């Protein structure tokens, strides 16, 4: 049942959002506008394969729609509709993430992050929800990437 649901979800998403081959959905970027999303190794597939025991690198280009001096990254793996937090080595995105803080309204930024794919994670399909929040907790970007851990 879950597999059928996620399959129809993937079909729905793939008809609506496509950048190169990586598929993503904007899940509510209220304080920013997403320009592009890339995950290393996922350039040529419709589902992003995350290799167990390796690092996955994410790059999001976005325009900030406000001035903010703080940014916080938050990642969840949504499995069967249930969001589970993915521990990130660096949640303060003003550090080592390519952002020059404070962010200015109307400027373009390239956010980069690395996430370790623990061998302890189950090897299943997961919708990766990656958010970057501004000082008041609102999303500069929110993207969902259909993925599978192998
Ligand atoms: C992610 O980037 C790191 C260096 O920042 C590199 O060692 C690693 O191989 C990259 N991962 C992938 C899947 O390309
Ligand atoms: C930001 O990027 C978008 C899309 O690439 C571009 O159209 C826009 O001119 C850029 N804005 C600035 C301020 O560089």
């Amino acid at each position: 049942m879950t597999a059928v649901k996620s399959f129809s979800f993937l079909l729905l998403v793939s008809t609506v959002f496509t950048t190169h081959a990586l598929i993503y959905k904007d899940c509510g970027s209220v304080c920013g506008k997403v320009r592009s999303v890339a995950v290393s190794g996922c350039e040529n597939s419709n589902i992003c394969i995350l290799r167990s025991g390796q690092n996955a690198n994410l790059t999001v280009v976005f325009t900030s729609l406000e001035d903010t001096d703080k940014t916080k990254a938050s990642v969840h793996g949504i499995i069967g509709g249930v969001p589970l937090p993915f521990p990130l080595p660096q949640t303060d995105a003003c550090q080592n993430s390519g952002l020059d803080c404070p962010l200015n309204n109307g400027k373009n930024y390239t956010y980069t992050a690395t996430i370790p794919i623990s061998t302890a994670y189950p090897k299943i399909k997961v919708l990766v929800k990656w958010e970057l929040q501004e000082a008041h907790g609102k999303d500069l970007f929110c993207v969902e990437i259909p993925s599978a851990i192998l």
Side-chain angles (χ1 to χ4, degrees):
M1 185 60 195
T2 312
V4 172
K5 268 197 215 152
S6 21
F7 183 66
S8 9
F9 177 74
L10 287 180
L11 280 183
L12 176 71
V13 169
S14 64
T15 54
V16 182
F17 299 94
T18 317
T19 48
H20 308 292
L22 179 75
I23 292 166
Y24 71 92
K25 174 177 176 267
D26 189 316
C27 39
S29 308
V30 289
C31 299
K33 180 159 179 44
V34 176
R35 302 294 182 181
S36 69
V37 179
V39 181
S40 55
C42 296
E43 295 82 3
N44 299 312
S45 62
N46 290 341
I47 181 158
C48 184
I49 304 299
L50 305 172
R51 302 270 168 203
S52 185
Q54 295 187 10
N55 288 330
N57 300 323
L58 172 89
T59 304
V60 177
V61 179
F62 68 98
T63 311
S64 181
L65 297 180
E66 66 169 49
D67 298 330
T68 183
D69 58 352
K70 290 202 186 80
T71 58
K72 182 171 170 283
S74 159
V75 184
H76 288 84
I78 304 176
I79 298 166
V82 181
L84 304 167
F86 251 64
L88 263 187
Q90 179 67 269
T91 57
D92 179 355
C94 288
Q95 306 289 329
N96 304 321
S97 304
L99 302 182
D100 188 11
C101 292
L103 303 190
N104 298 130
N105 188 348
K107 274 189 79 175
N108 288 341
Y109 294 94
T110 301
Y111 166 81
T112 58
T114 297
I115 189 171
I117 309 301
S118 166
T119 52
Y121 294 158
K123 296 182 179 49
I124 50 172
K125 274 191 186 171
V126 57
L127 189 60
V128 175
K129 181 180 185 182
W130 205 301
E131 291 166 89
L132 186 69
Q133 297 162 342
E134 44 75 279
H136 308 290
K138 289 188 282 178
D139 283 341
L140 288 157
F141 68 71
C142 176
V143 293
E144 284 178 354
I145 304 164
S147 306
I149 299 175
L150 289 186

